[in-house]
Amino acid sequence: MAAVLTPMMAAVLTCLTSTNTASSVCLWSGALLFLFTLSASAFVEELDDSFMENKGPDEIWLIKFYAPWCTFCKQLDPVWHQIGSELRSHGSLVQVGKSDATVSTGLAKEFRVKNYPAIFMFKKNVKYTYLGPRTKDAIMEFADRVGG
């Protein structure tokens, strides 16, 4: 989320230093952008080792396994949140989650995670591995195709 907040915070700071009446409009715009960013995050659930026990039998999940130190994982994070938001807004049955594989080692072992970021679709107790490009469009196509 830091990559999203940094430019936004710069814009808000620019607005705060402005002396014209547009500064209050600009401040409100920055606040709304911040709230939108937080709400988009709500569509991606952080998963832990209890996921396999707690998930519903008919739930469909698109899951990203990451490591906090992984540069590619950090680059994918804003895209992942866009995917979660877009799938939700389209009424998709696919739920989007992410799991820190360095913390939820049991879940990572269950999915046989070997590299980061690792992307899987989990549907009807079958794990589908995504090996394609790490782009929003490509991952969305995978989610639509496999998720049904």
Side-chain angles (χ1 to χ4, degrees), residues 84-127:
S85 179
E86 196 164 316
L87 286 172
R88 179 70 57 93
S89 70
H90 289 139
S92 174
L93 296 176
V94 177
Q95 298 180 66
V96 180
K98 65 180 184 173
S99 181
D100 181 344
T102 66
V103 174
S104 300
T105 56
L107 185 59
K109 185 176 180 181
E110 172 79 28
F111 277 80
R112 296 185 176 146
V113 173
K114 301 206 184 317
N115 52 31
Y116 306 112
I119 299 173
F120 296 89
M121 174 75 73
F122 188 72
K123 178 182 175 183
K124 297 186 182 195
N125 289 324
V126 177
K127 299 170 187 101

Side-chain angles (χ1 to χ4, degrees), residues 117 119 129-135 138-139 141-142 145:
I119 299 173
T129 305
Y130 176 75
L131 299 173
R134 296 332 199 218
T135 64
I139 296 169
E141 189 277 325
F142 171 76
R145 181 172 37 86

Side-chain angles (χ1 to χ4, degrees), residues 41-62:
S41 300
F43 300 127
V44 176
E45 188 172 334
E46 186 72 38
L47 307 176
D48 60 23
D49 283 337
S50 67
F51 170 74
M52 296 301 283
E53 299 163 6
N54 296 330
K55 66 165 185 52
D58 295 326
E59 291 179 350
I60 304 169
W61 283 89
L62 182 64

Side-chain angles (χ1 to χ4, degrees), residues 6-71:
T6 303
M8 181 189 63
M9 290 174 70
V12 170
L13 289 173
T14 301
C15 293
L16 289 174
T17 59
S18 175
T19 57
N20 62 25
T21 57
S23 64
S24 61
V25 172
C26 194
L27 182 59
W28 279 107
S29 297
L32 289 174
L33 180 60
F34 177 73
L35 290 175
F36 175 76
T37 302
L38 289 179
S39 68
S41 300
F43 300 127
V44 176
E45 188 172 334
E46 186 72 38
L47 307 176
D48 60 23
D49 283 337
S50 67
F51 170 74
M52 296 301 283
E53 299 163 6
N54 296 330
K55 66 165 185 52
D58 295 326
E59 291 179 350
I60 304 169
W61 283 89
L62 182 64
I63 305 169
K64 173 186 80 164
F65 288 90
Y66 68 95
W69 46 261
C70 170
T71 302

